[in-house]
Amino acid sequence: MPRERLAVAIDVPLDAGERLLRQVQPYAGVAKVGLSLFVEHGPKAVQVFRDAGAEVFLDLKLHDIPNTVELAASRAGALGVRYLTVHAAGGRKMLEAAIRGARAGAASAGVAPPTVLAVTVLTSMESDELKSVGVADPAPVQVERLAKLAKEAGAGGLVCSVKEVAALRALLGPGIVLCTPGIRPAGAAMGDQARVDTPAAAIKAGADLLVVGRPIYEAADPAAAAKAIHDEVAAAALPT
């Protein structure tokens, strides 16, 4: 269903986020809880959206030594989230630790384990910025390198820009979730994103889950904005 393929980024205060979810819930079935909400409210920031009937995407982008990540992922898994992000650049041992921890935490709480999504290259980064941190290859090459590493480690999905989706789908096949932030409807401002594209382009390229934040929560009518994106996803997913 298109609704299950649209995650709204709740990058607003918690009370405003609850109101936002009520407005967009007919069109977006996933609530993305990021660092700002989780740092301020902790597990409550997950529970309020779960109680409201949304799947929760806990976007913590864990990146630390394997033991620390395993412990954090275990706590996250116990919260009953649908998705959990970690940085693929943390390496295979860290990724395996995250997956192990998430599964153990979920089992201890009697909930389904989250899909661990490995973040490849942030959509705010382009090749010049990658060079500044020691990565000589252009962004698409680095994305594919990290994607293969993450799949080998057992990650259930990847976070990448729309620009890399088609190549990753061809490389990795249908059995892995491809999540695309940096989604911008035609005419929307890019903000601090660099590698962006439209909802229709993401779906046609092979994306499974789209993350949309500012084009929805900064809209004069968030429900209408979410509906427009939902309808674009639905149309793009129709067979041609």
mmCIF file of all heavy atoms in Angstrom, residues 64-74 86 91-104 116 153:
data_model
loop_
_atom_site.group_PDB
_atom_site.id
_atom_site.type_symbol
_atom_site.label_atom_id
_atom_site.label_comp_id
_atom_site.label_asym_id
_atom_site.label_seq_id
_atom_site.Cartn_x
_atom_site.Cartn_y
_atom_site.Cartn_z
ATOM 1 N N ASP A 64 29.354 3.496 16.541
ATOM 2 C CA ASP A 64 30.261 3.437 17.690
ATOM 3 C C ASP A 64 30.931 2.073 17.659
ATOM 4 O O ASP A 64 30.788 1.328 16.692
ATOM 5 C CB ASP A 64 29.470 3.650 18.991
ATOM 6 C CG ASP A 64 30.291 4.340 20.080
ATOM 7 O OD1 ASP A 64 31.438 3.888 20.317
ATOM 8 O OD2 ASP A 64 29.803 5.316 20.684
ATOM 9 N N ILE A 65 31.663 1.743 18.712
ATOM 10 C CA ILE A 65 32.288 0.420 18.755
ATOM 11 C C ILE A 65 31.187 -0.644 18.823
ATOM 12 O O ILE A 65 30.076 -0.366 19.279
ATOM 13 C CB ILE A 65 33.265 0.286 19.932
ATOM 14 C CG1 ILE A 65 32.535 0.423 21.265
ATOM 15 C CG2 ILE A 65 34.396 1.310 19.815
ATOM 16 C CD1 ILE A 65 33.415 0.089 22.466
ATOM 17 N N PRO A 66 31.463 -1.858 18.356
ATOM 18 C CA PRO A 66 30.403 -2.860 18.265
ATOM 19 C C PRO A 66 29.648 -3.110 19.565
ATOM 20 O O PRO A 66 28.416 -3.211 19.552
ATOM 21 C CB PRO A 66 31.155 -4.117 17.791
ATOM 22 C CG PRO A 66 32.278 -3.568 16.976
ATOM 23 C CD PRO A 66 32.711 -2.323 17.697
ATOM 24 N N ASN A 67 30.337 -3.196 20.688
ATOM 25 C CA ASN A 67 29.648 -3.486 21.946
ATOM 26 C C ASN A 67 28.646 -2.393 22.299
ATOM 27 O O ASN A 67 27.518 -2.670 22.709
ATOM 28 C CB ASN A 67 30.665 -3.653 23.074
ATOM 29 C CG ASN A 67 29.998 -4.067 24.376
ATOM 30 O OD1 ASN A 67 29.447 -5.155 24.484
ATOM 31 N ND2 ASN A 67 30.040 -3.187 25.373
ATOM 32 N N THR A 68 29.057 -1.150 22.138
ATOM 33 C CA THR A 68 28.163 -0.032 22.453
ATOM 34 C C THR A 68 26.954 -0.025 21.532
ATOM 35 O O THR A 68 25.816 0.193 21.971
ATOM 36 C CB THR A 68 28.928 1.302 22.327
ATOM 37 O OG1 THR A 68 30.006 1.301 23.264
ATOM 38 C CG2 THR A 68 28.024 2.486 22.591
ATOM 39 N N VAL A 69 27.185 -0.262 20.258
ATOM 40 C CA VAL A 69 26.078 -0.293 19.298
ATOM 41 C C VAL A 69 25.155 -1.465 19.587
ATOM 42 O O VAL A 69 23.922 -1.326 19.494
ATOM 43 C CB VAL A 69 26.618 -0.332 17.860
ATOM 44 C CG1 VAL A 69 25.517 -0.673 16.865
ATOM 45 C CG2 VAL A 69 27.247 1.012 17.504
ATOM 46 N N GLU A 70 25.700 -2.608 19.948
ATOM 47 C CA GLU A 70 24.854 -3.760 20.260
ATOM 48 C C GLU A 70 23.928 -3.458 21.432
ATOM 49 O O GLU A 70 22.731 -3.786 21.404
ATOM 50 C CB GLU A 70 25.709 -4.988 20.559
ATOM 51 C CG GLU A 70 24.884 -6.244 20.789
ATOM 52 C CD GLU A 70 25.725 -7.508 20.824
ATOM 53 O OE1 GLU A 70 26.941 -7.434 20.554
ATOM 54 O OE2 GLU A 70 25.152 -8.572 21.115
ATOM 55 N N LEU A 71 24.462 -2.816 22.466
ATOM 56 C CA LEU A 71 23.645 -2.472 23.630
ATOM 57 C C LEU A 71 22.554 -1.469 23.253
ATOM 58 O O LEU A 71 21.391 -1.621 23.649
ATOM 59 C CB LEU A 71 24.528 -1.895 24.742
ATOM 60 C CG LEU A 71 25.483 -2.880 25.414
ATOM 61 C CD1 LEU A 71 26.439 -2.134 26.335
ATOM 62 C CD2 LEU A 71 24.705 -3.941 26.187
ATOM 63 N N ALA A 72 22.914 -0.452 22.486
ATOM 64 C CA ALA A 72 21.932 0.553 22.087
ATOM 65 C C ALA A 72 20.864 -0.051 21.188
ATOM 66 O O ALA A 72 19.667 0.243 21.324
ATOM 67 C CB ALA A 72 22.627 1.712 21.381
ATOM 68 N N ALA A 73 21.283 -0.906 20.254
ATOM 69 C CA ALA A 73 20.325 -1.535 19.347
ATOM 70 C C ALA A 73 19.387 -2.463 20.102
ATOM 71 O O ALA A 73 18.205 -2.593 19.752
ATOM 72 C CB ALA A 73 21.061 -2.298 18.251
ATOM 73 N N SER A 74 19.885 -3.100 21.142
ATOM 74 C CA SER A 74 19.036 -3.965 21.955
ATOM 75 C C SER A 74 17.938 -3.159 22.631
ATOM 76 O O SER A 74 16.760 -3.551 22.637
ATOM 77 C CB SER A 74 19.886 -4.677 23.015
ATOM 78 O OG SER A 74 19.066 -5.434 23.890
ATOM 79 N N VAL A 86 21.563 2.531 11.358
ATOM 80 C CA VAL A 86 22.961 2.518 11.807
ATOM 81 C C VAL A 86 23.814 2.976 10.619
ATOM 82 O O VAL A 86 23.374 2.901 9.469
ATOM 83 C CB VAL A 86 23.409 1.111 12.261
ATOM 84 C CG1 VAL A 86 22.558 0.609 13.401
ATOM 85 C CG2 VAL A 86 23.372 0.111 11.104
ATOM 86 N N GLY A 91 31.407 -0.346 9.779
ATOM 87 C CA GLY A 91 32.082 -1.606 9.479
ATOM 88 C C GLY A 91 31.240 -2.837 9.765
ATOM 89 O O GLY A 91 30.196 -2.778 10.425
ATOM 90 N N ARG A 92 31.716 -3.960 9.233
ATOM 91 C CA ARG A 92 30.940 -5.200 9.312
ATOM 92 C C ARG A 92 30.685 -5.659 10.751
ATOM 93 O O ARG A 92 29.567 -6.047 11.098
ATOM 94 C CB ARG A 92 31.646 -6.305 8.524
ATOM 95 C CG ARG A 92 30.882 -7.619 8.551
ATOM 96 C CD ARG A 92 31.341 -8.586 7.512
ATOM 97 N NE ARG A 92 30.554 -9.807 7.547
ATOM 98 C CZ ARG A 92 30.428 -10.657 6.532
ATOM 99 N NH1 ARG A 92 31.056 -10.415 5.393
ATOM 100 N NH2 ARG A 92 29.688 -11.741 6.636
ATOM 101 N N LYS A 93 31.698 -5.612 11.611
ATOM 102 C CA LYS A 93 31.501 -6.075 12.985
ATOM 103 C C LYS A 93 30.459 -5.233 13.704
ATOM 104 O O LYS A 93 29.641 -5.750 14.467
ATOM 105 C CB LYS A 93 32.824 -6.053 13.737
ATOM 106 C CG LYS A 93 33.800 -7.131 13.297
ATOM 107 C CD LYS A 93 35.077 -7.091 14.133
ATOM 108 C CE LYS A 93 36.054 -8.175 13.680
ATOM 109 N NZ LYS A 93 37.314 -8.129 14.465
ATOM 110 N N MET A 94 30.496 -3.932 13.474
ATOM 111 C CA MET A 94 29.513 -3.070 14.116
ATOM 112 C C MET A 94 28.110 -3.353 13.587
ATOM 113 O O MET A 94 27.140 -3.390 14.348
ATOM 114 C CB MET A 94 29.871 -1.602 13.898
ATOM 115 C CG MET A 94 29.048 -0.639 14.747
ATOM 116 S SD MET A 94 28.824 0.989 13.975
ATOM 117 C CE MET A 94 27.544 0.607 12.760
ATOM 118 N N LEU A 95 27.976 -3.542 12.267
ATOM 119 C CA LEU A 95 26.680 -3.844 11.686
ATOM 120 C C LEU A 95 26.128 -5.162 12.218
ATOM 121 O O LEU A 95 24.941 -5.263 12.569
ATOM 122 C CB LEU A 95 26.799 -3.904 10.162
ATOM 123 C CG LEU A 95 27.043 -2.573 9.461
ATOM 124 C CD1 LEU A 95 27.466 -2.811 8.013
ATOM 125 C CD2 LEU A 95 25.794 -1.699 9.509
ATOM 126 N N GLU A 96 26.970 -6.161 12.292
ATOM 127 C CA GLU A 96 26.520 -7.452 12.831
ATOM 128 C C GLU A 96 26.096 -7.313 14.280
ATOM 129 O O GLU A 96 25.110 -7.924 14.719
ATOM 130 C CB GLU A 96 27.637 -8.479 12.686
ATOM 131 C CG GLU A 96 27.904 -8.877 11.235
ATOM 132 C CD GLU A 96 29.120 -9.764 11.071
ATOM 133 O OE1 GLU A 96 29.970 -9.804 11.997
ATOM 134 O OE2 GLU A 96 29.243 -10.413 10.016
ATOM 135 N N ALA A 97 26.816 -6.492 15.044
ATOM 136 C CA ALA A 97 26.462 -6.269 16.448
ATOM 137 C C ALA A 97 25.113 -5.569 16.556
ATOM 138 O O ALA A 97 24.292 -5.887 17.430
ATOM 139 C CB ALA A 97 27.549 -5.449 17.136
ATOM 140 N N ALA A 98 24.863 -4.602 15.670
ATOM 141 C CA ALA A 98 23.585 -3.893 15.684
ATOM 142 C C ALA A 98 22.426 -4.849 15.405
ATOM 143 O O ALA A 98 21.390 -4.810 16.086
ATOM 144 C CB ALA A 98 23.601 -2.770 14.656
ATOM 145 N N ILE A 99 22.589 -5.693 14.424
ATOM 146 C CA ILE A 99 21.534 -6.645 14.065
ATOM 147 C C ILE A 99 21.300 -7.629 15.203
ATOM 148 O O ILE A 99 20.152 -7.915 15.578
ATOM 149 C CB ILE A 99 21.907 -7.379 12.767
ATOM 150 C CG1 ILE A 99 21.977 -6.371 11.609
ATOM 151 C CG2 ILE A 99 20.916 -8.496 12.456
ATOM 152 C CD1 ILE A 99 22.766 -6.862 10.418
ATOM 153 N N ARG A 100 22.388 -8.123 15.768
ATOM 154 C CA ARG A 100 22.288 -9.062 16.893
ATOM 155 C C ARG A 100 21.565 -8.403 18.082
ATOM 156 O O ARG A 100 20.676 -8.990 18.693
ATOM 157 C CB ARG A 100 23.700 -9.501 17.275
ATOM 158 C CG ARG A 100 23.780 -10.611 18.293
ATOM 159 C CD ARG A 100 25.178 -11.201 18.331
ATOM 160 N NE ARG A 100 26.200 -10.204 18.636
ATOM 161 C CZ ARG A 100 27.182 -9.851 17.784
ATOM 162 N NH1 ARG A 100 27.238 -10.391 16.584
ATOM 163 N NH2 ARG A 100 28.093 -8.959 18.142
ATOM 164 N N GLY A 101 21.963 -7.184 18.391
ATOM 165 C CA GLY A 101 21.352 -6.490 19.518
ATOM 166 C C GLY A 101 19.882 -6.203 19.287
ATOM 167 O O GLY A 101 19.050 -6.389 20.186
ATOM 168 N N ALA A 102 19.542 -5.744 18.088
ATOM 169 C CA ALA A 102 18.144 -5.420 17.791
ATOM 170 C C ALA A 102 17.261 -6.654 17.917
ATOM 171 O O ALA A 102 16.147 -6.584 18.464
ATOM 172 C CB ALA A 102 18.038 -4.821 16.392
ATOM 173 N N ARG A 103 17.747 -7.782 17.441
ATOM 174 C CA ARG A 103 16.966 -9.015 17.528
ATOM 175 C C ARG A 103 16.811 -9.475 18.968
ATOM 176 O O ARG A 103 15.722 -9.884 19.394
ATOM 177 C CB ARG A 103 17.628 -10.104 16.685
ATOM 178 C CG ARG A 103 17.510 -9.863 15.185
ATOM 179 C CD ARG A 103 18.307 -10.879 14.390
ATOM 180 N NE ARG A 103 18.151 -10.679 12.947
ATOM 181 C CZ ARG A 103 18.895 -11.278 12.028
ATOM 182 N NH1 ARG A 103 19.854 -12.125 12.397
ATOM 183 N NH2 ARG A 103 18.684 -11.037 10.742
ATOM 184 N N ALA A 104 17.889 -9.376 19.742
ATOM 185 C CA ALA A 104 17.833 -9.814 21.138
ATOM 186 C C ALA A 104 16.895 -8.920 21.948
ATOM 187 O O ALA A 104 16.110 -9.411 22.768
ATOM 188 C CB ALA A 104 19.241 -9.798 21.742
ATOM 189 N N VAL A 116 16.904 -3.443 10.313
ATOM 190 C CA VAL A 116 18.059 -2.563 10.484
ATOM 191 C C VAL A 116 18.442 -2.003 9.123
ATOM 192 O O VAL A 116 18.758 -2.744 8.194
ATOM 193 C CB VAL A 116 19.236 -3.313 11.128
ATOM 194 C CG1 VAL A 116 20.482 -2.427 11.158
ATOM 195 C CG2 VAL A 116 18.869 -3.748 12.551
ATOM 196 N N ALA A 153 26.741 -8.177 5.845
ATOM 197 C CA ALA A 153 26.637 -8.230 7.307
ATOM 198 C C ALA A 153 25.246 -8.648 7.765
ATOM 199 O O ALA A 153 25.050 -8.934 8.951
ATOM 200 C CB ALA A 153 26.982 -6.866 7.891
#
